[in-house]
Amino acid sequence: MNKRELVEAIADRVGDRKTATEAVNAVVDAIQKAVAKGDKVSITGFGAFEMVNKPARTARNPSTGAEIRVAESWGPKFRPGSDFKELVNEGGKKIGKKR
């Protein structure tokens, strides 16, 4: 599912596409801004978004084997909630049986 499909799924529930688009954009924007500021965004039953530090490290170029210095960076992290994990696990069991 991509953003357009998500908007369509929400539009089916709220009644119109414009409202659904605004809602999806507002939620995504709010989460991105909060995490970029260093805040943790927790949605009960769904999961938590947070900023994590990736310290500087030494890596290797797979082609040459030469060491490469990778600078420190910050990135987003998502940890699914227990309800979400349980739902995905049940869906995986159903898909696994079909194969």
Side-chain angles (χ1 to χ4, degrees):
M1 175 180 279
N2 59 32
K3 188 174 180 181
R4 183 181 50 79
E5 293 166 335
L6 178 61
V7 167
E8 291 300 325
I10 293 172
D12 291 342
R13 292 187 66 176
V14 298
D16 70 294
R17 196 170 192 287
K18 183 178 179 186
T19 302
T21 301
E22 290 174 10
V24 169
N25 288 338
V27 169
V28 170
D29 187 55
I31 291 171
Q32 288 176 336
K33 286 180 179 176
V35 172
K37 285 190 328 188
D39 295 339
K40 180 178 177 179
V41 178
S42 295
I43 302 171
T44 304
F46 181 68
F49 299 87
E50 60 188 319
M51 180 189 292
V52 293
N53 178 261
K54 299 175 184 179
R57 62 187 174 85
T58 302
R60 292 211 177 267
N61 179 328
S63 300
T64 64
E67 288 188 350
I68 301 170
R69 184 80 177 135
V70 178
E72 173 188 47
S73 65
W74 293 85
K77 178 180 177 182
F78 174 73
R79 281 194 341 263
S82 58
D83 292 348
F84 188 22
K85 284 188 215 177
E86 186 177 316
L87 184 64
V88 170
N89 186 39
E90 289 303 314
K93 288 178 183 175
K94 290 176 186 174
I95 291 171
K97 288 180 182 177
K98 292 178 184 177
R99 291 184 181 168

Coordinates of all heavy atoms in Angstrom, one line a residue:
M1 N 0.9 -1.2 0.0 CA 0.0 0.0 0.0 C 0.9 1.2 0.0 O 1.8 1.3 0.8 CB -0.9 0.0 1.3 CG -1.7 1.2 1.4 SD -2.8 1.3 2.8 CE -4.2 0.3 2.3
N2 N 0.6 2.1 -0.9 CA 1.4 3.4 -0.9 C 0.5 4.5 -0.4 O -0.7 4.3 0.1 CB 1.8 3.7 -2.4 CG 0.7 3.8 -3.4 OD1 -0.4 4.2 -3.0 ND2 1.0 3.5 -4.6
K3 N 1.0 5.7 -0.4 CA 0.2 6.9 0.2 C -1.1 7.1 -0.5 O -2.1 7.3 0.2 CB 1.1 8.1 0.2 CG 0.5 9.3 0.9 CD 1.5 10.5 0.9 CE 0.9 11.6 1.7 NZ 1.8 12.8 1.6
R4 N -1.2 7.0 -1.8 CA -2.4 7.2 -2.5 C -3.4 6.1 -2.1 O -4.6 6.5 -1.9 CB -2.1 7.1 -4.0 CG -3.4 7.4 -4.9 CD -3.1 7.3 -6.4 NE -2.4 6.1 -6.8 CZ -3.0 4.9 -7.0 NH1 -4.2 4.8 -6.8 NH2 -2.2 3.9 -7.4
E5 N -3.0 4.9 -2.0 CA -3.9 3.8 -1.6 C -4.4 4.0 -0.1 O -5.5 3.7 0.2 CB -3.2 2.5 -1.8 CG -3.0 2.1 -3.2 CD -2.0 1.0 -3.4 OE1 -1.2 0.7 -2.5 OE2 -2.1 0.3 -4.5
L6 N -3.5 4.5 0.7 CA -3.9 4.8 2.1 C -4.9 5.9 2.1 O -5.9 5.8 2.9 CB -2.6 5.2 2.9 CG -2.9 5.6 4.4 CD1 -3.5 4.4 5.1 CD2 -1.6 6.1 5.0
V7 N -4.8 6.9 1.4 CA -5.7 8.0 1.3 C -7.1 7.4 0.8 O -8.1 7.8 1.4 CB -5.3 9.1 0.4 CG1 -6.4 10.1 0.0 CG2 -4.1 9.9 1.0
E8 N -7.1 6.6 -0.2 CA -8.3 6.0 -0.7 C -9.0 5.2 0.4 O -10.2 5.2 0.6 CB -8.1 5.1 -1.9 CG -7.7 5.9 -3.1 CD -8.7 6.9 -3.6 OE1 -10.0 6.6 -3.5 OE2 -8.3 8.0 -4.1
A9 N -8.2 4.4 1.2 CA -8.8 3.6 2.2 C -9.4 4.4 3.3 O -10.5 4.1 3.8 CB -7.7 2.7 2.8
I10 N -8.8 5.5 3.6 CA -9.3 6.4 4.7 C -10.5 7.2 4.1 O -11.5 7.4 4.8 CB -8.2 7.4 5.2 CG1 -7.2 6.6 5.9 CG2 -8.8 8.5 6.0 CD1 -6.0 7.3 6.4
A11 N -10.5 7.6 2.8 CA -11.6 8.3 2.2 C -12.9 7.4 2.3 O -14.0 8.0 2.4 CB -11.3 8.6 0.8
D12 N -12.7 6.1 2.2 CA -13.9 5.2 2.3 C -14.6 5.3 3.6 O -15.8 5.2 3.8 CB -13.5 3.8 2.0 CG -13.1 3.5 0.6 OD1 -13.5 4.3 -0.3 OD2 -12.5 2.5 0.3
R13 N -13.8 5.6 4.7 CA -14.3 5.7 6.0 C -14.8 7.1 6.4 O -15.8 7.3 7.1 CB -13.2 5.3 7.0 CG -12.9 3.8 7.0 CD -12.0 3.4 8.0 NE -12.7 3.5 9.3 CZ -12.1 3.1 10.5 NH1 -10.9 2.5 10.5 NH2 -12.8 3.2 11.6
V14 N -14.1 8.2 5.9 CA -14.5 9.5 6.3 C -15.4 10.2 5.3 O -16.0 11.3 5.6 CB -13.2 10.5 6.5 CG1 -12.4 9.9 7.7 CG2 -12.4 10.6 5.3
G15 N -15.5 9.7 4.1 CA -16.5 10.2 3.2 C -16.0 10.9 1.9 O -16.6 10.8 0.9
D16 N -14.8 11.6 2.0 CA -14.3 12.2 0.8 C -12.8 12.2 0.8 O -12.1 12.2 1.8 CB -14.8 13.7 0.7 CG -14.3 14.6 1.7 OD1 -14.6 14.5 2.9 OD2 -13.5 15.5 1.3
R17 N -12.3 12.3 -0.4 CA -10.8 12.2 -0.7 C -10.0 13.4 -0.1 O -8.9 13.2 0.4 CB -10.6 12.0 -2.2 CG -9.3 11.5 -2.5 CD -9.2 11.1 -4.0 NE -8.0 10.4 -4.3 CZ -6.8 10.9 -4.4 NH1 -6.6 12.1 -4.2 NH2 -5.8 10.1 -4.7
K18 N -10.6 14.6 -0.2 CA -9.9 15.8 0.2 C -9.6 15.7 1.7 O -8.5 16.0 2.2 CB -10.7 17.0 -0.1 CG -10.0 18.3 0.2 CD -10.8 19.5 -0.2 CE -10.0 20.8 0.2 NZ -10.8 22.0 0.0
T19 N -10.6 15.4 2.5 CA -10.5 15.3 3.9 C -9.5 14.2 4.3 O -8.6 14.4 5.2 CB -11.8 14.9 4.6 OG1 -12.7 16.0 4.3 CG2 -11.7 14.9 6.1
A20 N -9.5 13.0 3.6 CA -8.6 11.9 3.9 C -7.2 12.4 3.5 O -6.2 12.1 4.3 CB -9.0 10.7 3.0
T21 N -7.0 13.1 2.4 CA -5.6 13.5 2.0 C -5.1 14.5 3.1 O -3.9 14.3 3.5 CB -5.7 14.2 0.6 OG1 -6.2 13.3 -0.3 CG2 -4.3 14.7 0.2
E22 N -5.9 15.4 3.5 CA -5.4 16.3 4.5 C -5.1 15.6 5.8 O -4.1 16.0 6.5 CB -6.5 17.4 4.8 CG -6.7 18.4 3.6 CD -7.8 19.3 3.8 OE1 -8.4 19.4 4.9 OE2 -8.1 20.0 2.8
A23 N -5.9 14.6 6.2 CA -5.6 13.9 7.4 C -4.3 13.1 7.4 O -3.5 13.1 8.3 CB -6.8 12.9 7.7
V24 N -4.1 12.4 6.3 CA -2.9 11.6 6.1 C -1.7 12.6 6.1 O -0.7 12.3 6.8 CB -2.9 10.8 4.8 CG1 -1.6 10.2 4.5 CG2 -4.0 9.7 4.9
N25 N -1.8 13.6 5.3 CA -0.6 14.6 5.3 C -0.4 15.2 6.7 O 0.8 15.4 7.0 CB -0.9 15.7 4.3 CG -0.8 15.2 2.8 OD1 -0.2 14.2 2.6 ND2 -1.4 15.9 1.9
A26 N -1.4 15.5 7.4 CA -1.2 16.1 8.7 C -0.6 15.1 9.7 O 0.3 15.5 10.5 CB -2.6 16.6 9.3
V27 N -1.0 13.9 9.7 CA -0.4 12.9 10.6 C 1.1 12.7 10.2 O 2.0 12.7 11.1 CB -1.2 11.6 10.5 CG1 -0.4 10.5 11.2 CG2 -2.6 11.8 11.1
V28 N 1.4 12.5 9.0 CA 2.8 12.2 8.5 C 3.6 13.4 8.9 O 4.7 13.3 9.4 CB 2.8 11.9 7.0 CG1 4.2 11.8 6.5 CG2 2.1 10.5 6.8
D29 N 3.2 14.6 8.6 CA 3.9 15.8 8.9 C 4.2 16.0 10.3 O 5.3 16.3 10.8 CB 3.2 17.0 8.3 CG 4.0 18.3 8.4 OD1 5.1 18.3 7.9 OD2 3.5 19.3 9.0
A30 N 3.2 15.8 11.2 CA 3.3 15.9 12.6 C 4.4 14.9 13.2 O 5.2 15.3 14.0 CB 2.0 15.7 13.3
I31 N 4.3 13.7 12.7 CA 5.3 12.6 13.2 C 6.7 13.0 12.7 O 7.6 13.0 13.5 CB 4.9 11.2 12.6 CG1 3.6 10.8 13.3 CG2 6.0 10.2 12.9 CD1 3.0 9.5 12.7
Q32 N 6.8 13.4 11.5 CA 8.2 13.8 11.0 C 8.8 14.9 11.7 O 9.9 14.9 12.1 CB 8.1 14.1 9.5 CG 7.9 12.9 8.6 CD 7.7 13.2 7.1 OE1 7.3 14.3 6.8 NE2 8.0 12.3 6.3
K33 N 8.0 16.0 12.0 CA 8.5 17.2 12.7 C 8.8 16.8 14.1 O 9.9 17.3 14.6 CB 7.5 18.3 12.6 CG 7.4 18.9 11.2 CD 6.4 20.1 11.2 CE 6.4 20.7 9.8 NZ 5.4 21.7 9.6
A34 N 8.0 16.1 14.8 CA 8.3 15.7 16.2 C 9.6 14.9 16.3 O 10.4 15.1 17.2 CB 7.1 15.0 16.8
V35 N 9.7 13.9 15.4 CA 10.9 13.0 15.5 C 12.1 13.8 15.1 O 13.2 13.6 15.8 CB 10.7 11.8 14.6 CG1 12.0 11.0 14.5 CG2 9.6 10.9 15.2
A36 N 12.0 14.7 14.2 CA 13.2 15.5 13.8 C 13.6 16.4 14.9 O 14.8 16.8 15.0 CB 12.8 16.3 12.5
K37 N 12.7 16.8 15.8 CA 13.1 17.6 17.0 C 13.6 16.8 18.1 O 14.1 17.3 19.1 CB 11.8 18.4 17.5 CG 11.4 19.5 16.7 CD 10.3 20.4 17.4 CE 9.4 19.6 18.3 NZ 8.3 20.4 18.8
G38 N 13.6 15.5 18.0 CA 14.1 14.6 19.0 C 13.0 14.1 19.9 O 13.3 13.3 20.9
D39 N 11.8 14.4 19.6 CA 10.7 13.8 20.4 C 10.3 12.4 20.0 O 10.6 12.0 18.9 CB 9.4 14.7 20.2 CG 9.5 16.1 20.8 OD1 10.4 16.3 21.6 OD2 8.8 16.9 20.3
K40 N 9.8 11.6 20.9 CA 9.3 10.3 20.6 C 7.8 10.4 20.4 O 7.1 11.0 21.2 CB 9.7 9.4 21.8 CG 9.2 7.9 21.6 CD 9.6 7.1 22.8 CE 9.2 5.7 22.7 NZ 9.6 4.8 23.8
V41 N 7.3 9.7 19.3 CA 5.9 9.7 19.0 C 5.4 8.3 19.3 O 5.8 7.4 18.6 CB 5.6 10.2 17.6 CG1 4.2 10.1 17.3 CG2 6.2 11.6 17.3
S42 N 4.5 8.1 20.2 CA 4.0 6.8 20.6 C 2.5 6.8 20.2 O 1.8 7.6 20.7 CB 4.2 6.5 22.0 OG 5.5 6.4 22.3
I43 N 2.1 5.8 19.5 CA 0.7 5.6 19.1 C 0.3 4.2 19.7 O 0.8 3.2 19.2 CB 0.5 5.6 17.6 CG1 0.9 7.0 17.1 CG2 -1.0 5.4 17.3 CD1 0.9 7.1 15.6
T44 N -0.4 4.2 20.8 CA -0.8 3.0 21.5 C -1.4 2.0 20.6 O -2.3 2.3 19.8 CB -1.8 3.3 22.7 OG1 -1.2 4.3 23.5 CG2 -2.1 2.1 23.5
G45 N -0.8 0.8 20.7 CA -1.3 -0.3 19.8 C -0.7 -0.4 18.5 O -0.8 -1.4 17.8
F46 N -0.1 0.7 18.0 CA 0.5 0.8 16.7 C 2.1 0.7 16.8 O 2.7 -0.2 16.2 CB 0.1 2.0 15.9 CG 0.7 2.1 14.6 CD1 0.3 1.2 13.6 CD2 1.6 3.1 14.3 CE1 0.9 1.3 12.3 CE2 2.2 3.2 13.0 CZ 1.8 2.3 12.0
G47 N 2.7 1.7 17.5 CA 4.1 1.7 17.7 C 4.6 3.0 18.1 O 3.9 3.9 18.4
A48 N 6.0 3.1 18.0 CA 6.7 4.3 18.4 C 7.7 4.7 17.4 O 8.4 3.9 16.9 CB 7.3 4.1 19.8
F49 N 7.7 6.0 17.1 CA 8.7 6.6 16.2 C 9.7 7.4 17.1 O 9.3 8.1 18.0 CB 8.1 7.5 15.2 CG 7.1 6.9 14.3 CD1 5.7 6.8 14.7 CD2 7.4 6.4 13.1 CE1 4.8 6.2 13.9 CE2 6.5 5.8 12.2 CZ 5.2 5.7 12.6
E50 N 11.0 7.3 16.8 CA 12.0 8.0 17.6 C 13.2 8.3 16.8 O 13.4 7.6 15.7 CB 12.3 7.4 18.9 CG 12.9 6.0 18.8 CD 13.0 5.3 20.1 OE1 13.4 5.9 21.1 OE2 12.7 4.1 20.2
M51 N 14.1 9.2 17.2 CA 15.3 9.5 16.6 C 16.4 8.7 17.3 O 16.4 8.6 18.5 CB 15.6 11.0 16.7 CG 16.9 11.4 16.1 SD 17.4 13.1 16.5 CE 16.2 14.0 15.7
V52 N 17.3 8.1 16.5 CA 18.4 7.3 17.0 C 19.7 7.8 16.5 O 19.8 8.3 15.3 CB 18.3 5.8 16.7 CG1 17.1 5.2 17.5 CG2 18.2 5.5 15.3
N53 N 20.8 7.7 17.3 CA 22.1 8.1 16.9 C 22.8 6.9 16.3 O 22.8 5.8 16.8 CB 22.9 8.7 18.1 CG 24.3 9.1 17.7 OD1 25.2 8.3 17.9 ND2 24.4 10.2 17.2
K54 N 23.5 7.2 15.2 CA 24.3 6.2 14.5 C 25.8 6.7 14.7 O 26.1 7.6 13.9 CB 23.9 6.0 13.1 CG 22.5 5.5 12.9 CD 22.1 5.4 11.5 CE 20.7 5.0 11.3 NZ 20.3 4.9 9.9
P55 N 26.6 6.2 15.6 CA 27.9 6.8 15.8 C 28.8 6.6 14.6 O 28.6 5.7 13.8 CB 28.4 6.0 17.0 CG 27.5 4.8 17.2 CD 26.3 5.1 16.5
A56 N 29.9 7.4 14.6 CA 30.9 7.3 13.5 C 31.5 5.9 13.6 O 31.6 5.3 14.7 CB 31.9 8.3 13.6
R57 N 31.8 5.3 12.4 CA 32.4 4.0 12.4 C 33.3 3.8 11.2 O 33.3 4.6 10.3 CB 31.3 2.9 12.4 CG 30.4 3.0 11.1 CD 29.2 2.0 11.2 NE 28.3 2.2 10.1 CZ 28.4 1.6 8.9 NH1 29.4 0.8 8.7 NH2 27.5 1.9 8.0
T58 N 34.0 2.7 11.2 CA 34.9 2.4 10.0 C 34.2 1.2 9.3 O 33.8 0.2 10.0 CB 36.3 1.9 10.5 OG1 36.8 3.0 11.2 CG2 37.2 1.6 9.3
A59 N 34.0 1.3 8.0 CA 33.4 0.3 7.2 C 34.4 -0.1 6.1 O 35.5 0.4 6.1 CB 32.1 0.8 6.6
R60 N 34.1 -1.1 5.4 CA 34.9 -1.6 4.3 C 34.2 -1.5 2.9 O 33.0 -1.8 2.8 CB 35.3 -3.0 4.5 CG 36.2 -3.2 5.7 CD 37.2 -4.4 5.5 NE 38.1 -4.5 6.6 CZ 39.3 -4.0 6.6 NH1 39.7 -3.2 5.6 NH2 40.0 -4.1 7.7
N61 N 35.0 -1.0 1.9 CA 34.5 -1.0 0.6 C 34.5 -2.5 0.1 O 35.5 -3.1 0.1 CB 35.4 -0.2 -0.3 CG 34.9 -0.2 -1.8 OD1 34.4 -1.1 -2.3 ND2 35.2 1.0 -2.4
P62 N 33.3 -3.0 -0.3 CA 33.2 -4.4 -0.6 C 34.0 -4.8 -1.9 O 34.5 -5.9 -2.0 CB 31.8 -4.7 -0.8 CG 31.1 -3.4 -1.0 CD 32.0 -2.4 -0.3
S63 N 34.2 -3.8 -2.8 CA 35.0 -4.1 -4.0 C 36.5 -4.2 -3.8 O 37.2 -5.0 -4.3 CB 34.7 -3.0 -5.0 OG 33.3 -3.0 -5.4
T64 N 37.0 -3.2 -3.0 CA 38.4 -3.1 -2.8 C 38.9 -3.6 -1.5 O 40.1 -3.8 -1.3 CB 38.9 -1.6 -3.0 OG1 38.3 -0.8 -1.9 CG2 38.5 -1.1 -4.3
G65 N 38.0 -3.6 -0.5 CA 38.4 -4.0 0.9 C 39.0 -2.8 1.6 O 39.4 -3.0 2.8
A66 N 39.1 -1.7 1.0 CA 39.7 -0.5 1.7 C 38.7 0.0 2.8 O 37.5 -0.1 2.7 CB 39.9 0.6 0.7
E67 N 39.4 0.5 3.9 CA 38.6 1.0 5.0 C 38.0 2.4 4.6 O 38.7 3.2 3.9 CB 39.4 1.2 6.2 CG 39.8 -0.1 6.9 CD 40.4 0.0 8.2 OE1 40.8 1.2 8.6 OE2 40.6 -1.0 8.9
I68 N 36.8 2.6 5.0 CA 36.1 3.9 4.7 C 35.6 4.4 6.1 O 35.0 3.7 6.9 CB 34.9 3.7 3.8 CG1 35.3 3.1 2.5 CG2 34.1 5.0 3.6 CD1 34.2 2.6 1.6
R69 N 35.8 5.7 6.3 CA 35.3 6.3 7.5 C 33.8 6.8 7.3 O 33.6 7.6 6.3 CB 36.2 7.5 7.9 CG 35.8 8.2 9.2 CD 36.4 7.3 10.3 NE 36.1 8.1 11.6 CZ 35.6 7.5 12.6 NH1 35.4 6.2 12.7 NH2 35.3 8.1 13.7
V70 N 32.9 6.3 8.1 CA 31.5 6.7 7.9 C 31.2 7.7 9.1 O 31.4 7.3 10.3 CB 30.5 5.5 8.0 CG1 29.1 5.9 7.9 CG2 30.9 4.5 6.9
A71 N 30.7 8.8 8.8 CA 30.4 9.9 9.8 C 29.2 9.5 10.6 O 28.4 8.8 10.2 CB 30.2 11.2 9.1
E72 N 29.2 10.1 11.8 CA 28.0 10.0 12.7 C 26.8 10.6 12.0 O 26.9 11.5 11.2 CB 28.3 10.8 14.0 CG 27.1 10.9 14.9 CD 27.3 11.8 16.0 OE1 27.7 13.0 15.8 OE2 26.9 11.4 17.2
S73 N 25.7 9.9 12.2 CA 24.4 10.4 11.7 C 23.3 10.1 12.6 O 23.4 9.4 13.6 CB 24.2 9.8 10.3 OG 24.0 8.4 10.4
W74 N 22.1 10.7 12.3 CA 20.9 10.5 13.1 C 19.9 10.0 12.1 O 19.8 10.4 11.0 CB 20.4 11.8 13.7 CG 21.4 12.3 14.8 CD1 22.5 13.1 14.6 CD2 21.3 12.1 16.1 NE1 23.1 13.3 15.8 CE2 22.4 12.7 16.8 CE3 20.4 11.3 17.0 CZ2 22.6 12.6 18.1 CZ3 20.7 11.3 18.3 CH2 21.8 11.9 18.9
G75 N 19.0 9.1 12.6 CA 18.0 8.5 11.7 C 16.8 8.2 12.5 O 16.8 8.1 13.7
P76 N 15.7 8.0 11.8 CA 14.4 7.6 12.4 C 14.4 6.1 12.7 O 15.0 5.4 12.0 CB 13.4 8.0 11.4 CG 14.1 7.9 10.1 CD 15.5 8.3 10.3
K77 N 13.6 5.8 13.7 CA 13.5 4.3 14.0 C 12.0 4.1 14.4 O 11.4 5.0 15.0 CB 14.3 4.0 15.3 CG 14.2 2.6 15.7 CD 15.1 2.3 16.9 CE 14.9 0.9 17.4 NZ 15.7 0.7 18.6
F78 N 11.4 3.0 13.9 CA 10.1 2.6 14.3 C 10.1 1.3 15.0 O 10.7 0.4 14.6 CB 9.2 2.5 13.0 CG 7.8 2.0 13.3 CD1 6.9 2.8 13.9 CD2 7.5 0.7 13.0 CE1 5.6 2.3 14.2 CE2 6.2 0.2 13.3 CZ 5.3 1.0 13.9
R79 N 9.4 1.3 16.2 CA 9.3 0.0 16.9 C 7.8 -0.3 17.0 O 7.0 0.5 17.5 CB 9.8 0.2 18.3 CG 11.3 0.1 18.5 CD 11.8 -0.1 19.9 NE 10.8 0.3 20.9 CZ 10.8 1.5 21.6 NH1 11.7 2.4 21.3 NH2 9.9 1.7 22.5
P80 N 7.4 -1.4 16.4 CA 5.9 -1.7 16.4 C 5.4 -2.0 17.8 O 6.2 -2.6 18.6 CB 5.8 -2.9 15.4 CG 7.2 -3.5 15.4 CD 8.2 -2.4 15.7
G81 N 4.2 -1.7 18.0 CA 3.6 -2.1 19.3 C 3.1 -3.5 19.3 O 3.1 -4.2 18.3
S82 N 2.8 -4.0 20.5 CA 2.4 -5.4 20.6 C 1.2 -5.8 19.8 O 1.1 -6.9 19.2 CB 2.2 -5.8 22.1 OG 1.2 -5.0 22.7
D83 N 0.2 -4.9 19.8 CA -1.0 -5.2 19.0 C -0.7 -5.3 17.5 O -1.2 -6.2 16.8 CB -2.1 -4.1 19.2 CG -2.7 -4.1 20.6 OD1 -2.4 -5.0 21.4 OD2 -3.3 -3.1 20.9
F84 N 0.2 -4.4 17.0 CA 0.6 -4.4 15.6 C 1.3 -5.7 15.3 O 1.1 -6.4 14.3 CB 1.4 -3.2 15.3 CG 1.7 -3.0 13.9 CD1 1.0 -3.5 12.8 CD2 2.8 -2.2 13.5 CE1 1.3 -3.3 11.5 CE2 3.1 -1.9 12.2 CZ 2.3 -2.5 11.2
K85 N 2.3 -6.1 16.2 CA 3.1 -7.3 16.0 C 2.2 -8.5 15.9 O 2.3 -9.4 15.1 CB 4.1 -7.5 17.1 CG 5.3 -6.6 17.0 CD 6.3 -7.0 18.1 CE 7.0 -5.8 18.7 NZ 7.9 -6.3 19.8
E86 N 1.2 -8.6 16.9 CA 0.3 -9.7 16.9 C -0.6 -9.8 15.6 O -0.7 -10.9 15.1 CB -0.6 -9.6 18.1 CG -1.5 -10.7 18.4 CD -2.4 -10.6 19.6 OE1 -1.8 -10.1 20.6 OE2 -3.6 -10.9 19.5
L87 N -1.0 -8.7 15.1 CA -1.8 -8.7 13.9 C -1.0 -9.1 12.7 O -1.5 -9.9 11.9 CB -2.4 -7.2 13.7 CG -3.3 -7.0 12.5 CD1 -4.6 -7.8 12.7 CD2 -3.6 -5.6 12.3
V88 N 0.2 -8.7 12.6 CA 1.1 -9.1 11.5 C 1.4 -10.6 11.6 O 1.5 -11.3 10.6 CB 2.4 -8.2 11.5 CG1 3.4 -8.8 10.5 CG2 2.1 -6.8 11.1
N89 N 1.7 -11.0 12.8 CA 2.0 -12.4 13.0 C 0.8 -13.3 12.6 O 1.0 -14.3 11.9 CB 2.3 -12.7 14.5 CG 2.8 -14.1 14.7 OD1 3.5 -14.7 13.9 ND2 2.4 -14.7 15.8
E90 N -0.4 -12.9 12.9 CA -1.6 -13.7 12.5 C -1.7 -13.6 11.0 O -2.0 -14.7 10.4 CB -2.9 -13.1 13.1 CG -2.9 -13.4 14.6 CD -2.9 -14.9 15.0 OE1 -3.5 -15.7 14.3 OE2 -2.1 -15.2 15.9
G91 N -1.5 -12.5 10.4 CA -1.5 -12.4 8.9 C -0.5 -13.3 8.2 O -0.7 -13.9 7.2
G92 N 0.7 -13.3 8.8 CA 1.8 -14.2 8.3 C 1.4 -15.6 8.4 O 1.8 -16.4 7.5
K93 N 0.8 -16.0 9.4 CA 0.4 -17.4 9.6 C -0.6 -17.8 8.5 O -0.6 -18.9 7.9 CB -0.3 -17.7 10.9 CG 0.8 -17.7 12.1 CD 0.1 -17.9 13.4 CE 1.1 -17.8 14.5 NZ 0.4 -17.9 15.9
K94 N -1.5 -16.9 8.1 CA -2.5 -17.1 7.1 C -1.8 -17.2 5.7 O -2.2 -18.1 4.9 CB -3.6 -16.0 7.1 CG -4.5 -16.1 8.3 CD -5.5 -14.9 8.3 CE -6.3 -14.9 9.6 NZ -7.1 -13.7 9.6
I95 N -0.9 -16.4 5.5 CA -0.2 -16.4 4.2 C 0.7 -17.6 4.1 O 0.7 -18.3 3.0 CB 0.7 -15.1 4.0 CG1 -0.2 -13.9 3.8 CG2 1.6 -15.2 2.8 CD1 0.6 -12.6 3.9
G96 N 1.3 -18.0 5.2 CA 2.2 -19.2 5.2 C 1.4 -20.4 4.9 O 1.9 -21.4 4.2
K97 N 0.2 -20.5 5.3 CA -0.6 -21.7 5.0 C -1.0 -21.8 3.5 O -1.2 -22.9 3.0 CB -1.9 -21.7 5.9 CG -1.7 -21.9 7.3 CD -3.0 -21.9 8.1 CE -2.7 -22.0 9.6 NZ -4.0 -21.9 10.4
K98 N -1.1 -20.7 2.8 CA -1.5 -20.7 1.4 C -0.3 -21.2 0.5 O -0.6 -21.7 -0.5 CB -1.9 -19.3 1.0 CG -3.2 -18.8 1.6 CD -3.5 -17.4 1.1 CE -4.7 -16.9 1.8 NZ -5.0 -15.5 1.4
R99 N 0.9 -21.1 1.0 CA 2.0 -21.5 0.2 C 2.3 -22.9 0.2 O 2.1 -23.8 0.8 CB 3.3 -20.7 0.7 CG 3.2 -19.3 0.4 CD 4.4 -18.5 0.7 NE 4.2 -17.1 0.5 CZ 5.0 -16.2 0.9 NH1 6.0 -16.5 1.5 NH2 4.8 -14.9 0.6

